[in-house]
Amino acid sequence: MGKGRLEAFSDGVIAIIITIMVLELKVPHEPTFAALCERWPVFLGYLASFAFVGVYWSNHHHLVHTVRHVEPRIMWLNLHLLFWMSLMPFVTAWLGESRLAPIPTFSYGVIMLVAGIAYLFLQLAIAAQQTDPRHREAHKRQQWKGYVSLVGYATGLPLAWTGHVFVAMGIYVAIAIAWGVLDRGLAGE
Amino acid sequence: MGKGRLEAFSDGVIAIIITIMVLELKVPHEPTFAALCERWPVFLGYLASFAFVGVYWSNHHHLVHTVRHVEPRIMWLNLHLLFWMSLMPFVTAWLGESRLAPIPTFSYGVIMLVAGIAYLFLQLAIAAQQTDPRHREAHKRQQWKGYVSLVGYATGLPLAWTGHVFVAMGIYVAIAIAWGVLDRGLAGE
Amino acid sequence: MGKGRLEAFSDGVIAIIITIMVLELKVPHEPTFAALCERWPVFLGYLASFAFVGVYWSNHHHLVHTVRHVEPRIMWLNLHLLFWMSLMPFVTAWLGESRLAPIPTFSYGVIMLVAGIAYLFLQLAIAAQQTDPRHREAHKRQQWKGYVSLVGYATGLPLAWTGHVFVAMGIYVAIAIAWGVLDRGLAGE
Amino acid sequence: MGKGRLEAFSDGVIAIIITIMVLELKVPHEPTFAALCERWPVFLGYLASFAFVGVYWSNHHHLVHTVRHVEPRIMWLNLHLLFWMSLMPFVTAWLGESRLAPIPTFSYGVIMLVAGIAYLFLQLAIAAQQTDPRHREAHKRQQWKGYVSLVGYATGLPLAWTGHVFVAMGIYVAIAIAWGVLDRGLAGE
């Protein structure tokens, strides 16, 4: 299988995920600022999820670029990651409409956590393909970010559950920003 | 016609089909786990259809890769397949909202069956283009999977109709998993 | 401007148009065949529009493939065509929900007519770019199809207006089928 | 990072933004012309936003084509631009549904202004990459258009706020037309 088509399909799905979230932003019924501002939890969720998907897109790009041979295993792990990412518009809408209620915020964190695990699985499978020791090294340097993120997501879960939703969302957003800032590509590129 | 643009258009349509299904996942009105879990038939349908479309994407990729000349016939058979696949979000939503009622489950199976037939038509047309006997052989080895799947889908129909919806869905999901596991590409690649 | 990106953007927009129409297929509230069949005008409209957009995609592909230089004029005429095509999901939904009432069927025909005119404008601009007389000849051979279609769409309009909606829809569908059957590409390819 | 994938992802997102706006065009409940025409503010907003996104796509294409090296900074500025553009379907729907009420028209202008600023940031970052003085010159010639547009958007804001919504919309549409007419590409291409 050509790497190009795997990239193109993934990019297509990620581009659609990041864009259709706007369809969940329901228009206020009153043409006033009060009605617009009253929706702040919806906009906050939209912003956080846009940043998340954008960060995933960039990192996914760097990662898939180092694939050496598109084996079925890589393809299914990639589809597995896309499945969890495809649920982001759903949890984002629930988060916003419930105005950051504990259970929806917890569910949001669960999707973040599971998507992070799916990403790590894909990363490990691609790292195992590398024959050049320098490339292996580059992949290993990236993996700690994944492990730290998983710990962060997991920490947010009990906080969200017990109603500390802003602390939990703060942790999630901080992880997204950290990935964005640390995004330097893989040395193998 | 360039094979590249046929692939790109098909990939685009399949990427949109697999992703817009999430828009049919309506957000629970209550921010509770009970409200979320109460929707399990919707999530089950989403998961099954995501797996189906993913499997089609992968197999479609291998298949179209062996096209030798994009004749109008190939193009129309491909559009025919995409038409039936485009109805998947519709039957998936009906399946979920009716909580796996017999008629929606039956309709879901009909779309699976018809999409399977459309895939087989496309496969036969592409196999007929092959001049190298080894490639013909490779295509023939793939076709039994299509025939067995059609028998499976057809078996599910009367089961769904008579209310054995879980047996029917089990057969459909088993077919998707089997295609995923057997996905080894075509020798001609 | 690269022809490749013009093709890719057009393909993307057309792929989205053809696929999001399924979101207008509202799920029946009852899990019965009667409720499904009662929706036949919606499915008829969906089928007709899917065929139309598919035919446009194929012909658009052949046409844009012969562009020699992507001048701003070509780009704007292409965007103009995509604008009218983007209204197809809207008129298709209106056609189906009103159960082929005269005014929605008339509006459907108007969009077909205007999209046909937009296609002809694009075709004339691309034909004017051809320097090789054989390519000019090939473009001319295609243009009569456009003119005949416009006459067909225009004929359907008063028929739809006066309530002969099935005759009008029959003409529209016949035009789509004719384009599909006559689709042989341009000799310049 | 490859420039090709940045272009492809941006094109995908822009193609989805321009196309999903049609999903906000709700079908009239009555099958009459009166019901259709009564929706003119919705169609006006759709037309304006389609033109805007089309113009952005064309100019974005020319701009990204001159990127010399896809650094993280370029990528984040591009994602930043796409974020504001992704809100266009939302403000367009609000504009139309409120029938051009002052606050929604003001909000529409704010998104235009912020997207314009985001575009300018991206442009400056890409201009700073150019080593060839002729290319720098070409970028500088483009930048005055951006500054004039920002002044135009800003002028529209108090007008919309104080209820002169048609004057404000006239300014916004005039800016889109001017960009379309002045679209000549960058000399560096």
Side-chain angles (χ1 to χ4, degrees), chain C residues 114-175:
Chain C
V114 180
I117 292 172
Y119 186 81
L120 202 67
F121 281 174
L122 181 62
Q123 201 172 32
L124 291 171
I126 293 174
Q129 283 189 332
Q130 309 300 319
T131 44
D132 183 331
R134 288 207 329 271
H135 292 183
R136 278 178 180 277
E137 206 45 49
H139 273 90
K140 235 171 236 157
R141 273 202 302 281
Q142 298 287 317
Q143 280 159 20
W144 69 267
K145 288 201 289 181
Y147 290 114
V148 170
S149 304
L150 294 189
V151 172
Y153 296 134
T155 310
L157 292 186
L159 290 167
W161 184 278
T162 54
H164 301 86
V165 290
F166 291 103
V167 187
M169 284 303 287
I171 292 174
Y172 300 153
V173 170
I175 293 172

Side-chain angles (χ1 to χ4, degrees), chain B residues 43-56:
Chain B
F43 292 110
L44 180 70
Y46 181 72
L47 177 60
S49 294
F50 195 96
F52 258 110
V53 180
V55 164
Y56 264 105

Side-chain angles (χ1 to χ4, degrees), chain D residues 12-56:
Chain D
V13 171
I14 295 175
I16 300 162
I17 291 172
I18 209 170
T19 319
I20 60 173
M21 284 192 299
V22 80
L23 292 175
E24 307 280 9
L25 291 182
K26 298 288 179 299
V27 163
H29 293 299
E30 311 270 297
T32 61
F33 263 117
L36 190 69
C37 296
E38 193 259 349
R39 306 247 159 156
W40 65 264
V42 174
F43 291 111
L44 180 70
Y46 181 72
L47 177 59
S49 295
F50 194 97
F52 258 110
V53 180
V55 163
Y56 264 105

